């Protein structure tokens, strides 16, 4: 009968291997550091900095235990090698065992060093200390600021768990396996340094473009770091990022189909007739974005192109309520995403009164 010690060792080896070698099958089963230690790690939304300080130290300990776990597993899988008797094994196995043991002991010493003075020596704490200046009096105050902004729902977040990119109102964050890089938006500038094409999905008609952006800070204590994201997320990142974004001369950022359509949509509407406001009527803010003025009006014009042509468009009696950008996004969202060639010729309902209109019925307000 298998002893409890052997059962525990086998479970330890399998569990350890799951932390680093995490294909989709393991991730879908929930075998990750974050899931297996979730009760101890706490909630990322409640305390972002505290969560990742705990996550990085348990990750270091678990990953450093993998070589030792492999050796213990081989003791069971290959009993003929007598690996359980260190004085009988070959020099190669003995060197591997000593290396694995020293690596794991070193990781414990490293974590103990990090924990001194309430984790002041942890790499994440050192990154926070680089931003201690008014209005922040200490690195705990900086951590509280990051925690508060991470809890907001309007933050930008993308990427896989080992390389997440998060942009809040004041911070640019990159979450990796062992560290969290951070820079203040007011202190940094961003440069698009590289773009690569990846055919991630064989069924996709166009490859994905992965952009590499270099984040540099004027603060000498903050090391530059790279972030990577899909070009489809670039427009959203640019909208959230207040820091200037530059692009290298050899980098071309491909626009998405929606962005290309919005440019064509805007150019076509500029060719249509204009609408003149009646005396005393003033433009209000767009009800879609509440930032731009409502500068469009739907007027049924397509039926005037030919006397014999019947149109499915309907007259809209709404006052100007939408800006051109929001109306263009509404128009694109109502289309068949698999048939972009039909977008310009299609009809969609008015977002307010549901009267059908086409692109020829959109008039700019003058």
């Amino acid at each position: 009968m298998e002893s409890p010690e052997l059962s525990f060792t086998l479970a330890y080896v399998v569990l350890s291997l799951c932390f680093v070698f995490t294909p989709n099958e393991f991730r879908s089963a929930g075998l990750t550091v974050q899931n297996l230690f979730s009760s101890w790690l706490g909630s990322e939304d409640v305390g972002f900095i505290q969560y990742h300080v705990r996550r990085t130290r348990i990750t270091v300990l678990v990953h450093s235990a993998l070589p030792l776990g492999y050796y213990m597993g081989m003791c069971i899988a290959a009993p003929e090698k007598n690996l359980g008797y260190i004085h009988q094994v070959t020099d190669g196995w003995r060197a591997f065992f000593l290396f694995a043991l020293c690596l794991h002991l070193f990781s414990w010493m490293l974590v103990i060093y990090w924990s001194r003075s309430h984790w002041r020596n942890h790499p994440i704490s050192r990154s926070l200390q680089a931003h201690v200046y008014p209005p922040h009096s200490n690195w705990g105050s900086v951590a509280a600021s990051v925690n508060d902004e991470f809890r907001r729902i309007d933050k930008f977040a993308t990427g896989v768990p080992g390389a997440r990119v998060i942009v809040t109102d004041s911070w640019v964050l990159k979450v990796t396996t062992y560290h969290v890089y951070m820079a203040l938006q007011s202190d940094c500038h961003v440069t698009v340094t590289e773009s690569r094409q990846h055919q991630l999905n064989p069924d996709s008609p166009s490859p994905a473009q992965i952009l590499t952006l270099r984040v540099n800070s004027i603060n000498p204590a903050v090391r530059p770091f790279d972030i990577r994201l899909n070009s489809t997320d670039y427009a959203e990142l640019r909208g959230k990022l207040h820091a200037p974004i530059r692009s290298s001369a050899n980098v071309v950022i491909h626009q998405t189909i929606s962005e290309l359509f919005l440019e064509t949509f805007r150019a076509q509407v500029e060719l249509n007739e204009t609408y003149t406001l009646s005396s005393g009527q003033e433009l209000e803010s767009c009800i879609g974005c509440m930032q731009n003025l409502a500068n469009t009006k739907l007027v049924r014009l397509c039926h005037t192109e030919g006397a014999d042509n019947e149109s499915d468009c309907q007259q809209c009696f709404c006052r100007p309520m939408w800006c051109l950008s929001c109306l263009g996004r509404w128009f694109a969202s109502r289309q068949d995403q698999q048939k972009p060639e039909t977008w310009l010729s299609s009809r969609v309902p008015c977002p307010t009164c549901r009267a059908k209109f086409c692109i020829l019925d959109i008039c700019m307000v003058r």
Side-chain angles (χ1 to χ4, degrees):
M1 179 178 291
E2 190 177 46
S3 66
E5 290 79 7
L6 293 180
S7 299
F8 174 79
T9 302
L10 285 173
Y12 174 82
V13 172
V14 174
L15 182 62
S16 298
L17 291 175
C18 290
F19 290 125
V20 171
F21 306 106
T22 52
N24 293 332
E25 292 78 6
F26 286 125
R27 291 190 182 277
S28 61
L31 295 178
T32 62
V33 169
Q34 290 88 335
N35 291 338
L36 292 173
F37 293 92
S38 59
S39 59
W40 180 76
L41 291 175
S43 172
E44 186 184 39
D45 292 328
V46 173
F48 175 82
I49 294 298
Q50 292 78 4
Y51 174 89
H52 286 286
V53 168
R54 291 189 290 266
R55 179 190 62 81
T56 51
R57 69 180 189 248
I58 192 63
T59 301
V60 167
L61 292 175
V62 170
H63 287 186
S64 67
L66 289 178
L68 191 60
Y70 172 78
Y71 185 91
M72 295 170 64
M74 287 300 296
C75 291
I76 303 170
E80 69 279 1
K81 296 182 180 294
N82 294 322
L83 297 180
Y85 304 93
I86 193 64
H87 61 281
Q88 297 181 5
V89 300
T90 62
D91 292 341
W93 278 108
R94 186 179 297 111
F96 178 83
F97 173 77
L98 292 176
F99 165 78
L101 183 61
C102 292
L103 178 65
H104 193 51
L105 291 176
F106 174 78
S107 68
W108 274 104
M109 295 172 59
L110 181 64
V111 171
I112 292 172
Y113 169 74
W114 286 350
S115 66
R116 298 177 60 184
S117 301
H118 302 286
W119 299 97
R120 181 182 179 85
N121 296 323
H122 193 282
I124 296 177
S125 301
R126 291 183 178 273
S127 296
L128 294 170
Q129 293 168 28
H131 297 93
V132 177
Y133 46 82
H136 305 297
S137 58
N138 52 59
W139 66 273
S141 175
V142 181
S145 173
V146 176
N147 292 343
D148 290 341
E149 294 195 11
F150 182 81
R151 282 193 289 266
R152 299 174 186 173
I153 61 174
D154 61 341
K155 63 179 178 293
F156 169 82
T158 186
V160 296
R164 290 171 61 203
V165 177
I166 302 167
V167 180
T168 66
D169 292 337
S170 304
W171 297 92
V172 180
L173 308 171
K174 177 186 177 181
V175 179
T176 64
T177 303
Y178 303 109
H179 191 44
V180 175
Y181 298 89
M182 57 188 69
L184 270 174
Q185 287 207 43
S186 57
D187 292 345
C188 70
H189 60 270
V190 181
T191 305
V192 183
T193 59
E194 185 184 23
S195 65
R196 291 185 177 182
Q197 303 290 332
H198 295 274
Q199 190 68 43
L200 300 178
N201 185 0
D203 299 328
S204 176
S206 58
Q209 184 185 35
I210 306 300
L211 303 177
T212 301
L213 294 84
R214 185 75 166 174
V215 180
N216 292 276
S217 176
I218 61 175
N219 187 340
V222 178
R223 293 184 300 170
F225 57 92
D226 292 333
I227 60 177
R228 291 178 175 84
L229 72 158
N230 199 306
S231 60
T232 57
D233 298 323
Y234 179 72
E236 186 179 355
L237 170 71
R238 189 172 52 186
K240 186 64 178 177
L241 195 63
H242 307 305
I245 302 180
R246 299 177 296 186
S247 181
S248 300
N250 60 337
V251 176
V252 177
I253 302 175
H254 296 168
Q255 292 180 301
T256 63
I257 294 178
S258 297
E259 291 173 337
L260 292 172
F261 171 77
L262 287 177
E263 286 190 1
T264 306
F265 179 88
R266 187 177 294 106
Q268 178 59 50
V269 172
E270 291 287 349
L271 299 176
N272 295 345
E273 295 183 18
T274 60
Y275 177 83
T276 303
L277 288 176
S278 58
S279 58
Q281 188 177 6
E282 296 182 357
L283 291 178
E284 301 175 356
S285 297
C286 169
I287 64 174
C289 62
M290 299 301 293
Q291 296 179 352
N292 303 319
L293 290 177
N295 57 359
T296 60
K297 176 72 171 74
L298 299 181
V299 181
R300 188 183 181 194
L301 297 174
C302 59
H303 70 285
T304 62
E305 292 183 351
D308 299 331
N309 292 338
E310 292 293 334
S311 172
D312 293 333
C313 295
Q314 302 168 336
Q315 182 62 47
C316 172
F317 297 97
C318 300
R319 69 180 189 278
M321 301 175 67
W322 298 83
C323 68
L324 184 59
S325 296
C326 288
L327 193 61
R329 293 187 181 92
W330 165 263
F331 198 99
S333 68
R334 308 296 294 182
Q335 307 303 318
D336 185 348
Q337 302 300 310
Q338 303 301 321
K339 298 179 180 179
E341 67 277 2
T342 64
W343 289 11
L344 287 175
S345 60
S346 64
R347 293 171 174 81
V348 302
C350 167
T352 308
C353 70
R354 304 302 176 181
K356 286 187 177 181
F357 70 96
C358 66
I359 196 171
L360 298 176
D361 298 330
I362 306 173
C363 300
M364 296 295 298
V365 176
R366 305 296 182 190

